[in-house]
Amino acid sequence: MPDGNGSYDWRERMERLEQSIQKNWADHERIDRNIEGLRQSMVQQKENVDKLLGALRDLIDRIPPESLR
């Protein structure tokens, strides 16, 4: 930050910015990995729900129509 005479240490500021960028990039990569894992989990969950619904439909189809009244 500026001191009393108005000079500013731009080199220090640039180093802090570079460190911040590197940290943010690492966080971004971690978040991307987490999002990809979440997406894969959701795809697997949808497949499981689809299988469950298919099995339930098969069971319902086995019930004689007169029993559904």
Side-chain angles (χ1 to χ4, degrees):
M1 301 313 281
D3 58 15
N5 65 4
S7 65
Y8 191 84
D9 189 353
W10 289 103
R11 196 169 314 159
E12 179 186 337
R13 176 67 177 147
M14 289 303 294
E15 288 173 8
R16 287 194 319 236
L17 285 171
E18 288 173 1
Q19 290 171 357
S20 176
I21 289 169
Q22 289 173 355
K23 181 189 175 297
N24 288 341
W25 187 253
D27 289 346
H28 179 73
E29 290 172 344
R30 180 183 48 80
I31 290 168
D32 281 349
R33 285 191 306 272
N34 289 344
I35 288 173
E36 180 58 26
L38 179 60
R39 189 195 69 76
Q40 290 173 356
S41 175
M42 290 176 69
V43 167
Q44 182 62 48
Q45 184 177 20
K46 182 189 179 310
E47 290 172 0
N48 291 341
V49 168
D50 290 346
K51 289 177 187 177
L52 179 61
L53 286 174
L56 287 172
R57 286 182 180 134
D58 290 344
L59 287 174
I60 291 171
D61 288 344
R62 292 182 188 175
I63 299 173
E66 58 274 3
S67 298
L68 295 174
R69 295 180 189 176

